[in-house]
Amino acid sequence: MVCAAVGWGCASAPDRAAAAQVAAGDMGEARRLAYQRVQKGDADERALDLMRLLFVTTADGYAPSAEVVANELFDLLRRQGLNADRTLASAVVNEDVKRWKGEPFEQAMAYAEIAAQKASVGDWGNARAAASASLFLLKSFGEAGLSDEQLAERAAARAREGEADYLDHGYQPVETDFALGYAMHGIASLAMGREQEASDNLRKAVEHVPAWKPAADRLLAREFDTVLIVQFGLGPEKVLTGPDGAVAEWRPRTRSSAAAAAVRVGEGPTETFAWVEDVNRMSADHRWGGLADVRTLKSMLGQGLMLAGTGVAIAGEGDAKYVGLGMVLAGLIARAGAHADPRFCEVLPQRTYLVPIRVGSQGAPVSVQVEGVPGSRLDIPWVPGPGEAPFSVRVVRVLDAPAPPPWAVAGEIRYRHDGLPGRVPGDGLPWILGGMCVSVPSHEALARYQASGNLRGMTTADLAELYRLEGITWDLESLGGIRL
């Protein structure tokens, strides 16, 4: 029984490899690793695997490829009774027998990222719906600054007074303080022409993060054509502490600070923007976390049963010895099931900036850096204009590092692609044949190659077949909606 209890409680370890790739800025490799985990099809960790893949895919600039991932994750998070088939097992054996849905702050961040993906592809209605889903009520047991440890002490005191169900009924539902969710809701509402709704939500964001007011004012004045969602650093990690690892403690990996994002468009002046959300803040607030004290009490109960049972087994005679051994066994089972769930979304950003800028109809180069962090610098050679859309939304991930990788500050476009106007050296030949063009095979691409004196006599179908023979596929439908 003890072995079964331990076995049932096993959950996979955190994905340190994907987090390391994100920290290094290698989003392509992080995306590959996250996709492999999704492909394994672990139903208990499906939401976690999809969440990882969503964050690294949007950070890598492949918002359309994240469509299927975002849709499935939204359905999983919204599905009622996700853990209904595991409730008894998790109550008796182990919390991490449950299918993973994440802490409330992880779910809110996931909804906001789904909204960002939808906004990036111009799906404003679903962006608004996802942002709205992130604004769920929170369970408050008192003041906002109450820590999990303080809540545990309060719950234990109430239990001694006979109020055993304090954690189930002692809270008040309160309005969320998730500024990022309000801001994303406001941005989607602006795109849909819902001016009053946009104003209400953007003002709500400012109410919780007053330093973000200049950005909100610019949005409301429509003095922008592009919104950069700048994600910085790595969110906190979950560490199991206390007796039997019963308490899940959140420890910062990237430190919180008031540092602004400095942004420059083209040759214009550098402007600064405050962050709109800090995940370290959320994880430290009991309203955004789980009930770690339940696990702590379970561990303490397990220790008490073992001590009492050992005494009975040693001192008792006859049936008393078996009673004592039974108490020890019960204690072992309780302790085996006491440890907290070690799983968490390792690739969440530590903070998010929402930056409204104007790049113009032709697009412009943009430089981004978190003040005081030299390694966060990112020079984007060209950010396209919004085209016929009301405005565009782009997700940008910058690093918490002592120095930026060379590619981040090169300020040069090496490869020609479908979204880029103009030319780059060597784009008269496709990449597959040694050139510098990674456009999908099309009539326009072939015409450019032939104008450069290459691939004459070849048709668009011939070019497409060349790619297929090399195992290269480019349409999302044949890839199940996910482009690697």
Side-chain angles (χ1 to χ4, degrees):
M1 289 178 67
V2 173
C3 291
V6 175
W8 293 338
C10 291
S12 65
D15 190 348
R16 307 291 184 189
Q21 297 300 328
V22 171
D26 190 348
M27 301 302 169
E29 179 62 13
R31 191 158 49 93
R32 186 187 69 81
L33 293 172
Y35 181 71
Q36 286 180 343
R37 296 192 72 138
V38 168
Q39 288 296 92
K40 289 181 180 179
D42 187 338
D44 286 351
E45 300 190 1
R46 186 70 177 177
L48 176 56
D49 293 339
L50 291 170
M51 195 181 298
R52 292 188 186 109
L53 183 55
L54 173 65
F55 272 92
V56 297
T57 302
T58 54
D60 203 26
Y62 286 87
S65 295
E67 183 78 14
V68 171
V69 177
N71 292 347
E72 184 180 349
L73 180 58
F74 184 82
D75 289 342
L76 278 177
L77 293 175
R78 294 284 286 176
R79 187 179 302 165
Q80 296 298 315
L82 183 64
N83 291 315
D85 58 335
R86 305 298 180 91
T87 302
L88 180 61
S90 63
V92 175
V93 181
N94 201 319
E95 178 67 14
D96 56 9
V97 174
K98 287 184 178 180
R99 293 182 182 179
W100 189 92
K101 282 187 73 174
E103 301 289 359
F105 75 85
E106 292 175 294
Q107 294 185 45
M109 288 296 296
Y111 280 126
E113 192 70 3
I114 294 169
Q117 186 275 327
K118 298 301 180 187
S120 296
V121 299
D123 187 355
W124 303 110
N126 282 324
R128 175 176 170 272
S132 179
S134 76
L135 302 175
F136 48 81
L137 296 176
L138 304 180
K139 295 179 179 180
S140 176
F141 289 86
E143 59 272 21
L146 191 68
S147 69
D148 286 347
E149 291 75 13
Q150 292 169 324
L151 177 58
E153 293 173 358
R154 179 181 296 183
R158 296 295 180 88
R160 288 192 295 270
E161 297 168 1
E163 192 178 350
D165 60 351
Y166 174 72
L167 292 171
D168 295 321
H169 304 291
Y171 64 86
Q172 291 291 327
V174 296
E175 185 180 75
T176 181
D177 63 352
F178 188 42
L180 177 58
Y182 288 117
M184 291 301 301
H185 197 302
I187 288 169
S189 299
L190 275 179
M192 298 174 70
R194 306 169 77 106
E195 301 293 333
Q196 188 58 52
E197 189 174 291
S199 178
D200 291 344
N201 279 278
L202 292 174
R203 297 303 182 198
K204 270 292 184 187
V206 171
E207 179 182 319
H208 296 292
V209 185
W212 191 68
K213 185 177 186 300
D217 289 344
R218 179 177 293 186
L219 287 166
L220 288 170
R222 291 189 177 268
E223 297 173 348
F224 71 102
D225 60 17
T226 301
V227 176
L228 297 183
I229 301 176
V230 181
Q231 300 174 340
F232 170 70
L234 288 174
E237 65 176 336
K238 183 186 285 188
V239 179
L240 305 190
T241 63
D244 305 313
V247 178
E249 179 181 324
W250 292 93
R251 295 180 181 174
R253 288 180 289 179
T254 297
R255 292 186 177 182
S256 298
S257 79
V263 180
R264 184 182 185 190
V265 179
E267 299 300 320
T270 297
E271 299 182 283
T272 58
F273 299 85
W275 54 259
V276 71
E277 198 54 76
D278 178 348
V279 179
N280 289 343
R281 173 199 70 82
M282 298 172 74
S283 69
D285 188 334
H286 79 276
R287 299 174 302 173
W288 284 107
L291 301 177
D293 55 303
V294 174
R295 304 183 184 105
T296 302
L297 291 173
K298 184 189 288 186
S299 178
M300 292 172 63
L301 174 62
Q303 293 180 32
L305 285 171
M306 288 180 65
L307 290 173
T310 301
V312 172
I314 293 174
E317 296 182 0
D319 291 342
K321 288 185 177 291
Y322 294 104
V323 172
L325 290 173
M327 293 173 68
V328 172
L329 179 59
L332 285 171
I333 293 173
R335 291 192 64 176
H339 71 82
D341 187 342
R343 299 169 294 182
F344 69 103
C345 187
E346 310 87 347
V347 297
L348 291 183
Q350 182 266 317
R351 77 189 77 150
T352 303
Y353 301 85
L354 292 185
V355 178
I357 58 175
R358 190 181 295 280
V359 300
S361 60
Q362 299 301 312
V366 175
S367 178
V368 179
Q369 181 177 335
V370 174
E371 291 185 322
V373 187
S376 66
R377 180 181 166 189
L378 178 64
D379 294 333
I380 308 170
W382 177 73
V383 174
E388 297 181 359
F391 51 84
S392 61
V393 173
R394 316 283 179 187
V395 177
V396 178
R397 186 94 182 218
V398 297
L399 309 181
D400 178 18
W407 58 262
V409 294
E412 180 182 357
I413 297 176
R414 297 287 187 88
Y415 296 92
R416 174 70 165 77
H417 57 83
D418 293 303
L420 181 70
R423 303 290 298 270
V424 299
D427 67 0
L429 196 64
W431 171 81
I432 194 175
L433 295 177
M436 303 299 285
C437 180
V438 293
S439 299
V440 301
S442 65
H443 175 75
E444 292 77 11
L446 181 60
R448 185 170 62 254
Y449 304 150
Q450 292 176 341
S452 300
N454 300 313
L455 308 188
R456 290 178 176 173
M458 182 177 282
T459 66
T460 304
D462 294 334
L463 182 60
E465 183 62 19
L466 177 64
Y467 278 77
R468 290 193 179 95
L469 289 173
E470 293 296 327
I472 299 175
T473 308
W474 55 92
D475 61 291
L476 292 180
E477 184 177 354
S478 65
L479 294 170
I482 301 173
R483 178 181 290 150
L484 288 177

